[in-house]
Amino acid sequence: PAAAPPGVVKLRRLSGDLYLPADADLRPALLPDEMVGLTRDTGLVFLPGGLVLAFDPRTPLPPAAWLAPARVRRREWTPFPSPPPLADRLTLIERPAPPSAILEALGGDAPPEPSADAAPAEEDRPPAGSPARRLAEGARLGAGRFLAWLGRVFKNPGLAKRGGDLARKALERVPRLTDKVPRPQAAAQREQLRQLQAGDTEKAVRRAPVAVPDPDAPPPPVSAGADLGTRDPRYSLRDLLGRGGPGAAWLGGGDVWTALANEYRRLAREAAARGDARRAAYLYGVLLRDPRSAANALLAGGLDRDAAVVLRDRVKDLPAAAAAFARAGDFDEALRLYESLQDYEAAGDLLRKIGDEPAAVDRFERAANRLADRGQYVAAGDLARGKAARPELAADFYRRGWSRDGAEAIACGQRLLKHQLIAGAWADTRTLFDEAETAFAPPRTAEAGQFFNYALNAGRAFLPPDDQDDLADRARRLFAAHLRGRPGHVGQATVSQLFGLGEWAAPVVRDAAAAARVTPRPLALEAATHPPPIRLASGDVRAVVVARETFDIVVATSEAVVRWRPDSGRVEPVFSYRTGNVRGLSADPKGETVFVLHAADGLTTLHCHTLNTATGSFACMGQAVVGLVEEWVYVPPSAAVLGGVPIVAVVTETGQSLYGGPFLRPEPVEPFAAEGKSPHLLVWGGENAAWDWDTLFARCLNWPGGRGRFHTVARWIPAWRPGVPDGVTLSAPAVDWLSAEEGLLKIVAPDVDGVLHWSSFDGRDTQERPTRGASRSHPDRFLAACLVAPGKVAAATGGNEVHWLRVVGSGFEPWAAPTKVNVPSRVVFLASRPTAGEVVAVLADGSAVRLTRP
């Protein structure tokens, strides 16, 4: 057919019996003879996501084997019966007997007929609040409805909005006031929900209300009517692009709106599964106001151009729109968008795909120059060498990165050396060795070992014998200088950095190992110079979190939750309890909103406490039951702030939920899907990124636009997992992290055995996904740790010694003498306060000690 049916993937023959989707490439690329040999006996079809299908090319499959026409059942035709004649005159109108009269005639007892205005049972009604609060908020509700009516009469949107805001606030504070909402509205909402749940989809969709308010439009006026109106449920691109008229808002409804939204999502998923992309796009884009999901449904159904228009005009995601236009074959519009975004690499890929090689090379050179202007010399050189086929231009970029001596100096030097070796530029190679010998003099041990071992391994196939011997002598002299320049601090990690990456002779490695066995002189403990402990709260410490912006500390003990402000010395009560215990804490970056996970009476409840700036005290605003006491429940220590509203995630073994605002409103988003058990959401990386850690993977997640489903950008299999060591009273592992750049995360924590671990995950390069790690043990076991700088750690042992360590290779080395915390209680949590130049040690008895950072 001219147009592919929904769900059909167009294929193209790559070579032999190897097929790919028509718009896809195979990476890594195979040679023609490899492809023919791979499909000599079995045909293969490569599909996105790592799926490969096999078929037997020697056994043809005729259409009759898998396609059969439907049988048409034809019955004998008979005409419709003649209708009865219409009456000429109406003589009598009777009212049917009510059910009570029928039951009385049969001799039974008639139940009381329900009145249209009958009130629901008391247990089915929402909370009422105190009489004074109910009276005050009732007056507020009446005033709000009156202002909304005046706004409609005088066509004043501002007045109508003010009235709607008053009414909404009144209903939030006293939910019982929803009894005053017109009952026809509630009846219409529930009837729509009943029809959807009963399977009467077509009828319900024609009168389905929009279940999600438009976040970018002003609040509509409040309506007292109950007419849902009629809409056209057929697919229309204009409906997806338009936001519709101002409409009207209905008060009340409660969970009905959430239930309607869930039903719409269910119908959309079912439509997408059966290939009805247009119906799925209508449900997502019109009734759920989720244009991105609508565009994804259109892309899955092959409606690439419509999806591209939605992404461009409604979602404003120009990169995704350009890719969709390219899939649809509208190359001019895709190139225009790529040019407007200055995404010259993607533009070059598209130009190469359509056969304009000179223009593609020009775009690749522009992209490389932009990367170099941003200091990304490795990426610029790789792009110029790999896609633009300009090795001299790539060498220039590598030379610039090498001369800057920045974070990419080693990688640039290695690539520059490889270019010179291939070109046979021996004079330039010797000059590069001279520069490296000067740049990587002691104490730059790691850089010296990394560069010169790479040079020895790569130069073995290119360098002349004399130059190879000269390079080996240079490396030996430099490595010996590193070993001599660090008396008393030479360890096996240093030897591994210098001699563990190259093919050195056994006597050389043996001598280096002998030098590493010199026992260093132990550092003397400092005298106790810290101030006396500060009492924060009574009881054993259960959880501690740090406000990431103000560095205030929130502590939960077995009796209370408090916020300590070290700058002013104030200790402010947040929450107190007599029964149960605290299973987790979370705080916003300013420490003004605290989420408490409290377990009591068989249930685990999430409490939200917010700071009243007028009184300076915390008040409980909302509660939500999130699970049973015996179930595993977790909240991240740092809450996200999206659009000025604090958002907290509650993670269980069966799923995840997001709650927003002080009243813990459930956020209508699809949660991220953990692949292991007991997932921990560690970090929010902005409004569209997060990091999580479970029993299998550590993952970098993307949350497009702050809504929808989380997507995995990169994932790793760590060799360790955070834990609570024996002797620590915390209810969950304490992990400290630092995310200075988007896509880059550094974490430190002890495991359950008291071994200190540091890991760095880099999710910016989804191809290489680099990661680093370091570990260290202690006879007294490490109980708590925190990051004081990107490569420096403070770690407390069971003997109340705080060790100041820095990451060197795959281990730690001390950079200052340990500090003794001279108190009887054990340190269970460490918090770094970089603005004050100190580290706070929280003790198990609910007190804290301030330590000056060396």
Side-chain angles (χ1 to χ4, degrees), residues 248-313:
W250 286 8
L251 298 177
D255 295 337
V256 177
W257 292 113
T258 303
L260 281 174
N262 293 335
E263 288 298 317
Y264 294 161
R265 292 190 184 91
R266 178 183 63 81
L267 293 176
R269 289 193 294 267
E270 292 176 355
R274 65 174 181 266
D276 193 353
R278 292 179 173 86
R279 173 54 63 88
Y282 170 80
L283 292 169
Y284 279 127
V286 177
L287 300 185
L288 290 171
R289 297 190 193 274
D290 188 357
R292 183 177 291 276
S293 296
N296 292 338
L298 293 174
L299 287 172
L303 301 173
D304 298 327
R305 181 169 178 78
D306 287 6
V309 174
V310 173
L311 290 170
R312 180 191 64 188
D313 299 341

